[in-house]
Amino acid sequence: MAAAAGAFSLREVLSAFQAAVTERREVLLGPYLRGWRGLVRFLNSLGAIFSFISKDAVAKIQIMESYCGGERREEYRTLQSMVAYELASGLVDIQRRSEHPDSGCRTVLRLHRALRWLQLFLEGLRTAQEDSKTSTICTDSYNASLAAYHPWVVRKAATVAFCALPSRNAFLEIMNVGTPEEAVVMLGDALPHISSVYGITEELYAQHKLLNLP
Ligand code: 1Q0
């Protein structure tokens, strides 16, 4: 059954990331951004303390949506075509942000790094003991991924916000896929799709030496 309008459903996020990968292992930006929109909706439902995170995510999603709906939308159909187009046209700042501060390549890189956090976090949530603290799972996942790219003040604010996360079971319930046990099964199904998107992107960016874009 479809979730109520406006409510978060893990299922929708899952199907967006699933639909993002084509048979030729391309990543379609439309579904990819739809997946991110769904995640932000979820983040917003957790309370205002997370708004500094969701604002940044939304700003990045909007940058990408404007490329995807713009004059060059054909070039922004897949991640692969975007990378090829932006590199061939000199639209990517490689050393420092100057002429092209908001290239698609650097913007997706930020979301891509956050996807690694999500992968670790969901895996942690899925395999943790019932009484585990979500804030601990979240902090551990963050420290093992995104934290390396954030200055001290952002790390501090993020860690404080994580303390406001609901318990593991409450968290599994707001995913809107049934009981906590059913949510755990769903997470097991969802993760390979998220991992696949992550892996393809990582490989593409490594190939073109884009993993450290400013
Ligand atoms: C559930 C708790 C959510 C925790 C999210 C962890 C991420 C913390 C990130 C803190 C970001 C702070 C704001 C600014 C950062 C930027 O400086 C940084 C770099 O960009 P730039 O332009 O300055 O170079 N931006 C980023 O690193 C992007 C961060 C995007 C974070 C998006 C997080 C979206 C989270 C969604 C909640 C998912 C909940 C999962 C459970 C749902 C089940 C599918």
Side-chain angles (χ1 to χ4, degrees), residues 8 10 13 36 39-40 42-43 46 50 52-53 56-57 60 97 106 110-111 114 117-118 121-122 125 138 142 146 150-151 154 158 162 165 171 175 187:
F8 172 83
L10 175 61
V13 171
W36 274 108
L39 288 171
V40 165
F42 182 72
L43 190 58
L46 294 176
F50 296 99
F52 76 106
I53 303 175
D56 185 70
K60 289 178 169 52
R97 281 181 98 184
R106 72 89 60 190
R110 270 60 190 175
L111 295 176
W117 162 80
L118 183 71
F121 177 61
L122 295 184
L125 209 55
C138 190
Y142 176 73
L146 264 182
H150 290 160
V154 170
F162 296 160
L165 286 172
F171 207 90
M175 284 182 184
L187 279 179

Side-chain angles (χ1 to χ4, degrees), residues 10-211:
L10 175 61
R11 229 178 279 276
E12 286 167 31
V13 171
L14 157 66
S15 70
F17 283 110
Q18 187 170 1
V21 178
T22 71
E23 273 178 19
R24 297 164 57 197
R25 293 186 85 239
E26 291 171 317
V27 177
L28 296 168
L29 280 170
Y32 181 84
L33 296 172
R34 212 167 60 231
W36 274 108
R37 280 272 178 204
L39 288 171
V40 165
R41 204 136 49 92
F42 182 72
L43 190 58
N44 286 336
S45 77
L46 294 176
I49 191 165
F50 296 99
S51 61
F52 76 106
I53 303 175
S54 71
K55 264 192 204 141
D56 185 70
V58 166
K60 289 178 169 52
I61 295 167
Q62 278 172 344
I63 290 173
M64 292 313 302
E65 285 175 343
S66 76
Y67 289 133
C68 292
E71 262 176 40
R72 293 289 188 158
R73 64 170 70 90
E74 264 312 300
E75 320 281 4
Y76 288 89
R77 202 178 69 86
T78 70
L79 209 54
Q80 286 75 2
S81 61
M82 175 192 85
V83 166
Y85 165 69
E86 288 196 343
L87 286 179
S89 315
L91 294 173
V92 185
D93 287 343
I94 305 285
Q95 300 293 354
R96 65 196 163 76
R97 281 181 98 184
S98 52
E99 275 162 55
H100 307 288
D102 292 328
S103 68
C105 286
R106 72 89 60 190
T107 305
V108 167
L109 178 61
R110 270 60 190 175
L111 295 176
H112 169 67
R113 289 170 177 165
L115 203 62
R116 174 72 184 148
W117 162 80
L118 183 71
Q119 201 186 355
L120 295 175
F121 177 61
L122 295 184
E123 183 59 22
L125 209 55
R126 189 178 78 87
T127 54
Q129 304 281 331
E130 209 171 298
D131 57 354
S132 306
K133 284 188 122 166
T134 318
S135 56
T136 309
I137 303 172
C138 190
T139 307
D140 290 348
S141 317
Y142 176 73
N143 286 338
S145 58
L146 264 182
Y149 306 102
H150 290 160
W152 182 86
V153 60
V154 170
R155 292 204 302 269
K156 194 75 201 155
T159 316
V160 169
F162 296 160
C163 294
L165 286 172
S167 72
R168 178 174 178 272
N169 270 1
F171 207 90
L172 292 173
E173 264 161 36
I174 35 182
M175 284 182 184
N176 251 320
V177 284
T179 63
E181 292 73 25
E182 286 169 324
V184 165
V185 172
M186 187 77 191
L187 279 179
D189 295 341
L191 270 159
H193 300 296
I194 291 172
S195 302
S196 163
V197 171
Y198 181 82
I200 296 172
T201 311
E202 182 76 9
E203 204 179 300
L204 178 73
Y205 270 59
Q207 215 171 24
H208 294 278
K209 302 195 168 43
L210 299 175
L211 284 168

